[in-house]
Amino acid sequence: MSKLNDREKLIYEFMKDNDISITEIIDIVIKTNRLIGVGLITLEDYVVEAIKKHHNKNISLDKIMNG
Protein backbone atom coordinates (compact mmCIF):
# COMPACT_ATOMS: atom_id res chain seq x y z
CA MET A 1 0.00 0.00 0.00
CA SER A 2 1.35 3.44 -0.87
CA LYS A 3 2.01 5.95 1.87
CA LEU A 4 -1.21 7.50 3.20
CA ASN A 5 -1.64 11.01 4.53
CA ASP A 6 -3.37 11.52 7.90
CA ARG A 7 -6.82 12.00 6.38
CA GLU A 8 -6.47 8.90 4.20
CA LYS A 9 -5.36 6.88 7.25
CA LEU A 10 -8.43 8.05 9.14
CA ILE A 11 -10.75 7.04 6.29
CA TYR A 12 -8.97 3.71 5.84
CA GLU A 13 -9.16 2.88 9.55
CA PHE A 14 -12.86 3.80 9.69
CA MET A 15 -13.62 1.57 6.71
CA LYS A 16 -11.53 -1.30 8.10
CA ASP A 17 -12.86 -1.02 11.67
CA ASN A 18 -16.47 -0.93 10.47
CA ASP A 19 -16.15 -3.45 7.62
CA ILE A 20 -17.33 -0.88 5.06
CA SER A 21 -16.93 -1.63 1.36
CA ILE A 22 -16.25 0.79 -1.48
CA THR A 23 -19.71 -0.06 -2.84
CA GLU A 24 -21.29 1.13 0.39
CA ILE A 25 -19.26 4.35 0.25
CA ILE A 26 -20.38 5.03 -3.33
CA ASP A 27 -24.02 4.21 -2.47
CA ILE A 28 -24.03 6.67 0.43
CA VAL A 29 -22.41 9.39 -1.70
CA ILE A 30 -25.17 8.90 -4.29
CA LYS A 31 -27.97 8.88 -1.69
CA THR A 32 -26.77 11.78 0.47
CA ASN A 33 -26.11 13.98 -2.55
CA ARG A 34 -29.33 12.86 -4.28
CA LEU A 35 -27.40 12.17 -7.45
CA ILE A 36 -29.38 11.33 -10.57
CA GLY A 37 -28.75 11.77 -14.29
CA VAL A 38 -25.89 14.19 -14.92
CA GLY A 39 -24.80 13.96 -11.27
CA LEU A 40 -24.22 10.22 -11.64
CA ILE A 41 -22.30 10.76 -14.87
CA THR A 42 -20.11 13.33 -13.13
CA LEU A 43 -19.51 10.93 -10.23
CA GLU A 44 -18.57 8.25 -12.74
CA ASP A 45 -16.07 10.65 -14.33
CA TYR A 46 -14.53 11.37 -10.90
CA VAL A 47 -14.25 7.66 -10.10
CA VAL A 48 -12.69 6.87 -13.48
CA GLU A 49 -10.13 9.67 -13.03
CA ALA A 50 -9.27 8.41 -9.53
CA ILE A 51 -8.72 4.90 -10.89
CA LYS A 52 -6.64 6.15 -13.81
CA LYS A 53 -4.17 7.70 -11.35
CA HIS A 54 -3.36 4.23 -10.03
CA HIS A 55 -3.46 1.77 -12.92
CA ASN A 56 -0.81 0.80 -15.45
CA LYS A 57 -0.60 3.66 -17.96
CA ASN A 58 0.20 1.18 -20.76
CA ILE A 59 -3.23 -0.47 -20.53
CA SER A 60 -6.41 1.47 -21.32
CA LEU A 61 -9.05 1.67 -18.61
CA ASP A 62 -11.63 0.54 -21.18
CA LYS A 63 -9.59 -2.64 -21.76
CA ILE A 64 -9.35 -3.25 -18.02
CA MET A 65 -13.09 -2.73 -17.52
CA ASN A 66 -14.32 -4.53 -20.63
CA GLY A 67 -11.65 -7.13 -21.30
Side-chain angles (χ1 to χ4, degrees):
M1 181 176 2
S2 62
K3 186 170 167 99
L4 301 176
N5 65 38
D6 290 342
R7 186 166 181 82
E8 291 167 333
K9 287 177 190 173
L10 179 67
I11 294 167
Y12 171 76
E13 290 299 324
F14 177 80
M15 289 178 66
K16 185 178 87 174
D17 292 347
N18 294 286
D19 193 30
I20 297 173
S21 71
I22 189 67
T23 302
E24 291 171 303
I25 296 292
I26 292 169
D27 285 344
I28 199 68
V29 167
I30 292 168
K31 288 177 183 178
T32 59
N33 290 285
R34 297 183 182 112
L35 297 179
I36 58 170
V38 173
L40 286 174
I41 293 168
T42 302
L43 177 62
E44 179 183 18
D45 292 342
Y46 291 151
V47 171
V48 168
E49 284 305 311
I51 292 168
K52 282 182 178 180
K53 290 189 307 187
H54 298 281
H55 79 80
N56 183 337
K57 302 296 184 200
N58 297 320
I59 302 172
S60 75
L61 185 57
D62 184 57
K63 183 166 179 70
I64 292 169
M65 293 174 67
N66 299 311

